[in-house]
Amino acid sequence: MKNFFKIFSFLVLLFGFSTNLNCAEKVEYLKTDWSFKGLFGKFDRGALQRGYQVYTEVCASCHSMKYLSYRNLAEKGGPEFSVAQAKAIASSFEVSDGPNDDGEMFTRPGKLSDKFVMPYDNVKAAQAANGGAYPPDMSVLVKARGGGVDYIYSLLQGYEEPPAGVTLDDGVYYNKYMYGNKIKMPNQLSDGLVEYADGTEASVEQMSKDVTTFLMWSAEPHLESRHRMGFKAIVYLIILTILVYFSMKRIWSRIETKI
Amino acid sequence: MSDHEYIPKSKFGKWFNDRLPLLTLANHLTDYPTPKNLNYWWTFGGILTFCLITQIVTGLVLAMHYIAHADMAFDSVEHIMRDVNYGWLIRYIHANGASMFFLAVYIHIFRSLFYGSYKAPREIIWIIGIIIYLLMMAAAFLGYVLPWGQMSFWGATVITNLFSAIPLVGEGIVTWLWGGYSVDNPTLTRFFTLHYLIPFLILGLVVLHIWALHVPGNNNPVGIDIKKPSKDTVPFHPYIVIKDGFALLMFMIVFAFFVFYTPNILGHADNYIEANPLVTPAHIVPEWYLLPFYAILRSVPDKLLGVVAMLSAILILAALPWLDTSKIRSAVFRPLYRQFYWILVADVLILGYVGAMPAEGLYLLIARVATAYYFLHFLIILPILGFREKTMPLPLSITEPVLGGSQNLALVKDRKKFEN
Amino acid sequence: MSEKKTNRRDFLFTATYAVGAVGVGATIWPMIDTMNPDASVKALASTEVDVSTVDPGKTITVLWRGKPVFIRRRTQDEIAEAKSVKMEELKHPEKDEDRAKNPEWLVMLGVCTHLGCVPLDQKGDYNGWFCPCHGSHYDISGRIRKGPAPTNMEIPEYKFVNSNTIKIG
């Protein structure tokens, strides 16, 4: 049995490590402590609310978030705006609806059940407005990039003057964390760009952290309940395993074989 | 098969059993005499049954919410993840369940290789097992296409294009598989249909696999034939049931850790980008469980021969009962085979590693050497070893090592292996 | 007498099997054929592209039958380079003249002949295309020069409807 556990745990470890192979990146990302990591990780509500503010005021002019609805802003485990606040946010957007009885499309203030309003009607329009590059939808962006939150966090702060010998075309910028270092998105953040409702100082680092937290939530809206349930499930499994282990000992003691 | 005739106690039971002998079957399964020295490597059969049932049940629930359409598949998966009650849980169990299924099946296969479980009279069990493994790979590949992300799309393109290597009819077959001139909506709908079908084929084959097992009975770590039932065996229930249950629970703890704490680590980030036929991801890699075969495919410079090599690497396993010429089953009594066995394990791990790396330079060289060794092991080393190897004397019964009195046993170096 | 009887019975059984097999085959074929491209997919078989806005040295990509088609307006240098390659150096020898009827325009399926990925523009060792999947290098005529792909990138059927419009398919 000892042998078995040795080899099995080796296999599991190997399995765990080998999965990191693909994500092994050459660049070292900027590090920060994320509140949502770890067994009991939870989102920082303040960061989520501030992150939403950065998203609407800065990112939303180019990046859509098509899988989010305004109701999500008031849901548990998210930014947890009050329902009244979320309604106010929703109604500040014009949503196109229809056709009405006359067959015409019309616009109306947004409702909680509406999806986030998109900056462009379609991908082509987004490309046309951004020099051919489509600003990716940000709903699951954190999960769609190898480095995850660390990558997004670093990228937002990674703008630099290109080193000697690197020439950039018009509308292309140098970012040391971008794959290939050339990025179509200009640097967006500067100190004091937004005025946070809760009085937090809006440094570039702070805004990067907040908006990245917000993106993590939008990619994994059920992260908190996943962590809570995971802990309960694993504790339950361990208790049951111990009970079954001793039952097994009892049953096998009827015959003279070690187990 | 148990020799005694089972007669139900109750009158109704007897009446029913005379018409449909289900109770006889149940009695056979509970009383089934199992070698009592089976170690924990033998618990993976039960674990695999659990994996199959888990995939079928979670898959059924997911299919109620999933939409198999190129324009809606990605959205419907996000709908499951966000809006469906516990949808995220079911999807993560299903996605990680596939990986856990393969982890378990590889342990199951390598256990069989170590203890010679594929040898006479268990060849049919082994061959059915290989077919199940092939169907598992097909189901996993088809399932990976369904979320319609970038890896789904390009994985489907690369794998279906393997068929174009067939001379003359290849292109026609690929068009037929796609239902168009590229991977597109018709491809997605048929992949969904087949993905739903294959698990039930696997289920049927699992029944045959177990049926074929129950004819000769289990092999065991010592690898000798035993009398059944005898003092060497225990009834399946409760002894093996509780032991399998214990192992399964430990397996579930690992499983739960992946599902709840690192649900995306086994997937690829690019699959959270919706499929785009105009952009190929920079680095296409299959899921980890297919990497060794992917490495073999890429190690051969010719397209057709690469495909042939990859298929042979799997099909060669079906011929294993005849390639291994040794009469001794368990590697415990085969000192040389034991060493080659661990070299093979290392070889397959290396193939898996280089499969994840770009196919160039040193990696390509390593892949070629490892591929060559893989075939060398099965085609040359195993047949010759059977004649040349000086094996150790077998004990007379499996209780002998347990009681520890055998002269033969003193010769066996790591007797701990089967005492566990 | 008895021998004759056996023969006749053999013939009867063989005929029964044969007729039965025809019926089974005729029933199965429609099932198999449903999986082939359907009428609506086939209807998209050709497409017309306006190329008047493409500058020399640029490539546009259009979708045809769900696959990308590269249309490159080549510069004089590139044409000269494509024509200068010796046939012995090629894995799949094809003259540039046979691939580009009008040497200024290269129209080809942007699909790597190895396993169907889309090669990247202006990359690779031969100044043409490079496939990121398994590292095939193509030259400026779309011919395979290095890597696992067996043949050159395919040239679809196309013609110039007028000097600004290409009809593919």
Side-chain angles (χ1 to χ4, degrees), chain A residues 143 220-223 225-231 233-234 237, chain B residues 54-55 57-59 61-62 65 77-98 255-261 263 272:
Chain A
K143 288 199 280 186
E220 276 294 305
H222 297 290
L223 178 134
S225 46
R226 172 153 65 74
H227 284 177
R228 265 199 315 275
M229 189 191 283
F231 183 71
I234 289 175
L237 283 171
Chain B
T54 307
Q55 291 305 86
V57 172
T58 52
V61 178
L62 288 173
H65 301 282
V77 170
E78 278 307 312
H79 167 70
I80 290 169
M81 292 296 290
R82 288 160 193 276
D83 297 332
V84 174
N85 301 327
Y86 293 110
W88 59 270
L89 175 64
I90 306 294
R91 173 161 179 263
Y92 278 153
I93 292 178
H94 197 74
N96 286 283
F255 193 162
F257 189 83
F258 276 106
V259 168
F260 290 109
Y261 291 108
Y272 279 105

Side-chain angles (χ1 to χ4, degrees), chain A residues 1 4-5 15 19 21 39 67-68 71 143-144 218 220 222 226-227 229-231 248 252 255 257, chain B residues 36 40 74-75 78 81-83 86 88 92 234 239 249-250 260-261 263-264 266 269 274 288 353 420:
Chain A
M1 181 153 162
F4 169 82
F5 284 120
F15 185 57
T19 53
L21 283 179
L39 293 192
Y67 297 120
L68 255 57
R71 65 185 159 83
K143 288 199 280 186
S218 77
E220 276 294 305
H222 297 290
R226 172 153 65 74
H227 284 177
M229 189 191 283
F231 183 71
M248 177 176 76
W252 278 76
I255 50 168
T257 303
Chain B
K36 65 180 175 186
Y40 280 94
F74 193 85
D75 291 358
E78 278 307 312
M81 292 296 290
R82 288 160 193 276
D83 297 332
Y86 293 110
W88 59 270
Y92 278 153
V234 289
Y239 295 95
L249 281 164
M250 293 205 302
F260 290 109
Y261 291 108
N264 290 309
L266 300 169
E274 199 169 351
W288 67 269
Y353 175 77
N420 56 90

